Amino acid sequence: MSPPSRTAVGLLTRTEHRMKPDASRTLCRLFVPGQETLIQGESRATPVIDRILALDEPDVEQALARTTALFSDRYHDFGRTLEQHFLLVAHRVRRVTQVSRARRQLIGAYFSQEYALEAAALFNPSLVIHPDQAGCRPGEVRFVMSLRAVGEGHLSSIEFRTGTIGHGSVVRFDPPGRFLGTGRPRSVRYDRRLFGRKLSDYGQDDENARLLWSILPPHFTGTELEAALAELSRQQVTRADSTALVDRVRWMAASNYAVEFGADDALSERVLWPTAPAESHGMEDARFVRFTDGTGGAGAAARYYATYTAFDGSQVAPQLLETSDFRTFTVSQLSGPAASNKGMALFPRRIGDRYAALSRWDRETNAIAYSNDGHDWPAARTFQSPARPWELIQLGNCGSPIETPAGWLVFTHGVGPMRDYAIGAVLLDLDEPEHLLAALPEPLLVAEESEREGYVPNVVYSCGAMQHGDTIVLPYGCSDSSVRIALVDLNLLLGRLLNC
């Protein structure tokens, strides 16, 4: 057990819950021989397809029957998935011949793989009230928990669990669904201002870009974008170096998208999978917040936002998720210097007439940033710098602030010797949150002995807590290998902060 003198004693209790990675939670993903996950190589699709086409029909049916018997009970409509994967590689079929349904599905099976999305790690949860509270008993609230899952190739995705918090802050989790899916893409309209600001961030706000914006309307479709890019290409003779701009704009368009899940898909079966180029190597540490502007209670209409870290293999950038029902999610990039690193977390309402966010734009301090539209974030203002032994390497937040009568309660994380993480707490002014009112002089939570070993040792980390009455339910990851729950006495914590 960690020495009691290191922590603020008596403010929290751990529950018995411990959620660990489950290797049986798998996705059926496209697999292209020669282009395995995160490995660069030449596709071997054509020779593989030729070998399948050379099989006798009885051999095809036997191989498909064996595959179906092994895997069909693990996925919704397994045959349809195989057909979809066949269609993705059908252009490689060189022979002009009729391909039977069984052979199509067998080709699809050879170009499929199971991906255990949380086999390597499961951690960094955030907690928000569920948009559907129907059927809850008095004093009970339904929640949604987001989780960062890591599988083969250190590839991170976002998944969910649901449950209830009842009388006495008793936490109960629903059994997770068995059939995981990544939803279906939906078209979106792009924002010309966001694209322009983002190009400025990339240093590509030149004459060619200004021509592009003069052609496009304030909000435009993918078809309109391609028409504008075609016009730019037609002027290539007098407009040098437009190729890099075209590539960048298409990259940006692919990084702003929407995904929709079926109404019958359980929330715990929905997986936000990295598909855009900005997140090709992972979607990390989603910090969800229920956003209402403070005009209503649990039943009021609300949007849910989440900032997460997109990683493309060389650079990281915060991006924005938006949903009202956890069925349709819209993803967009963020611009501005305050949105240039990990660890952004939105406030649950506007302050004045502006959006506000916690930022760690400089990689080591806690800061406040404001935005007029929630997408462009000018320079942030630091309110807390590393000062105590347990936080001297860096500070950051553990999710969106919680509004209390005493101020904005923010859970923080600090990194000390031996890259040992701890969770702390600070209080910010309600009207001017860049003003720090109080900070716990010692950590609120450090890893106990049973939590110290894992994928990344000695880490306790949260992406967002939730208030239930006088209790803060604080989910946290342990050494990137499991998830636990701590219950924080809100009144005692505020009393300790106000007396610091």
Side-chain angles (χ1 to χ4, degrees):
M1 183 73 69
S2 300
S5 60
R6 282 197 62 199
T7 62
V9 179
L11 297 182
L12 65 76
T13 57
R14 289 170 165 88
T15 71
E16 296 300 316
H17 300 91
R18 192 153 202 157
M19 190 181 299
K20 296 184 178 181
D22 181 356
S24 72
R25 290 177 62 78
T26 59
L27 293 165
C28 186
R29 301 293 303 164
L30 181 71
F31 168 74
V32 181
Q35 295 180 342
E36 286 81 356
T37 303
L38 305 184
I39 297 175
Q40 300 298 317
E42 184 177 348
S43 170
R44 292 186 280 111
T46 299
V48 170
I49 289 174
D50 286 345
R51 289 193 284 269
I52 301 169
L53 292 174
L55 292 174
D56 293 334
E57 197 66 26
D59 291 335
V60 168
E61 293 177 355
Q62 183 178 12
L64 179 62
R66 178 182 179 277
T67 302
T68 301
L70 284 172
F71 298 101
S72 62
D73 64 345
R74 299 167 71 94
Y75 304 101
H76 280 308
D77 204 344
F78 183 59
R80 182 184 176 191
T81 299
L82 299 186
E83 288 271 3
Q84 290 172 339
H85 289 180
F86 165 75
L87 292 175
L88 292 174
V89 300
H91 60 281
R92 294 275 189 165
V93 178
R94 295 191 292 193
R95 299 182 186 180
V96 181
T97 182
Q98 184 70 25
V99 182
S100 68
R101 179 175 179 273
R103 200 177 296 266
R104 291 198 310 270
Q105 291 195 359
L106 186 62
I107 291 172
Y110 276 99
F111 285 84
S112 300
Q113 67 169 336
E114 285 199 303
Y115 183 91
L117 81 161
E118 62 184 55
L122 184 70
F123 55 115
N124 294 2
S126 74
L127 203 65
V128 290
I129 185 171
H130 197 295
D132 181 7
Q133 294 295 311
C136 286
R137 297 186 292 268
E140 185 178 68
V141 65
R142 185 174 293 112
F143 65 80
V144 178
M145 176 186 284
S146 68
L147 297 151
R148 177 179 170 186
V150 178
E152 179 185 355
H154 195 76
L155 191 61
S156 296
S157 57
I158 300 168
E159 60 170 315
F160 302 97
R161 300 290 191 280
T162 59
T164 58
I165 306 169
H167 181 72
S169 296
V170 175
V171 179
R172 295 185 178 88
F173 284 95
D174 301 323
R178 294 179 52 224
F179 303 110
L180 305 184
T182 56
R184 296 170 296 279
R186 284 186 49 183
S187 61
V188 296
R189 294 183 68 83
Y190 304 112
D191 187 322
R192 187 180 66 192
R193 287 188 306 168
L194 174 61
F195 272 47
R197 292 189 300 243
K198 200 65 183 173
L199 274 183
S200 294
D201 289 347
Y202 294 133
Q204 291 181 266
D205 185 19
D206 57 12
E207 180 189 25
N208 293 327
R210 289 190 288 274
L211 171 66
L212 200 58
W213 308 141
S214 71
I215 298 171
L216 289 166
H219 295 89
F220 55 92
T221 65
T223 301
E224 291 171 322
L225 175 62
E226 286 304 317
L229 292 175
E231 176 61 28
L232 183 63
S233 296
R234 279 192 290 272
Q235 300 187 23
Q236 177 68 31
V237 174
T238 60
R239 295 183 179 277
D241 301 326
S242 64
T243 301
L245 173 66
V246 170
D247 290 343
R248 173 63 74 180
V249 170
R250 284 183 173 140
W251 186 92
M252 289 165 54
S255 296
N256 293 265
Y257 65 94
V259 62
E260 182 179 33
F261 295 86
D264 295 333
D265 299 332
L267 210 164
S268 59
E269 295 177 326
R270 301 170 191 173
V271 178
L272 297 178
W273 180 260
T275 54
E279 62 197 25
S280 60
H281 285 55
M283 305 170 72
E284 304 177 359
D285 301 342
R287 288 162 160 83
F288 275 89
V289 63
R290 183 177 181 272
F291 189 91
T292 64
D293 275 347
T295 57
R303 300 290 295 174
Y304 292 85
Y305 294 111
T307 50
Y308 71 95
T309 299
F311 179 46
D312 67 3
S314 61
Q315 296 182 339
V316 298
Q319 296 205 150
L320 184 68
L321 280 165
E322 182 178 356
T323 184
S324 61
D325 54 9
F326 286 86
R327 180 184 170 192
T328 300
F329 297 84
T330 301
V331 176
S332 56
Q333 293 181 293
L334 299 174
S335 62
S340 60
N341 214 291
K342 292 186 174 185
M344 283 190 74
L346 295 176
F347 280 65
R349 63 171 176 85
R350 289 183 180 88
I351 297 177
D353 59 353
R354 295 182 296 175
Y355 294 87
L358 301 169
S359 171
R360 201 185 68 184
W361 64 278
D362 63 356
R363 301 181 64 189
E364 62 179 23
T365 66
N366 280 322
I368 294 289
Y370 293 99
S371 171
N372 291 326
D373 62 4
H375 288 87
D376 185 48
W377 296 89
R381 307 180 213 174
T382 296
F383 67 81
Q384 186 188 24
S385 299
R388 298 179 175 90
W390 56 276
E391 62 187 23
L392 291 183
I393 290 179
Q394 69 189 44
L395 282 166
N397 68 73
C398 282
S400 296
I402 296 172
E403 188 170 7
T404 77
W408 293 104
L409 176 63
V410 176
F411 293 105
T412 64
H413 69 264
V415 184
M418 295 296 294
R419 203 185 176 208
D420 188 22
Y421 276 64
I423 293 177
V426 301
L427 200 61
L428 308 180
D429 185 82
L430 284 177
D431 298 318
E432 298 179 330
E434 60 270 24
H435 293 157
L436 176 68
L437 301 178
L440 280 182
E442 64 281 315
L444 177 69
L445 187 149
V446 299
E448 61 183 22
E449 198 60 38
S450 67
E451 299 169 343
R452 303 198 70 86
E453 296 180 356
Y455 193 56
V456 181
N458 307 311
V459 173
V460 286
Y461 193 97
S462 179
C463 287
M466 175 178 149
Q467 182 177 353
H468 182 249
D470 293 331
T471 300
I472 302 295
V473 182
L474 175 65
Y476 64 97
C478 309
S479 299
D480 288 14
S481 295
S482 63
V483 173
R484 296 197 66 183
I485 304 289
L487 304 178
V488 181
D489 188 308
L490 177 59
N491 293 326
L492 286 179
L493 176 57
L494 292 178
R496 187 76 62 89
L497 282 166
L498 293 172
N499 288 311
C500 285

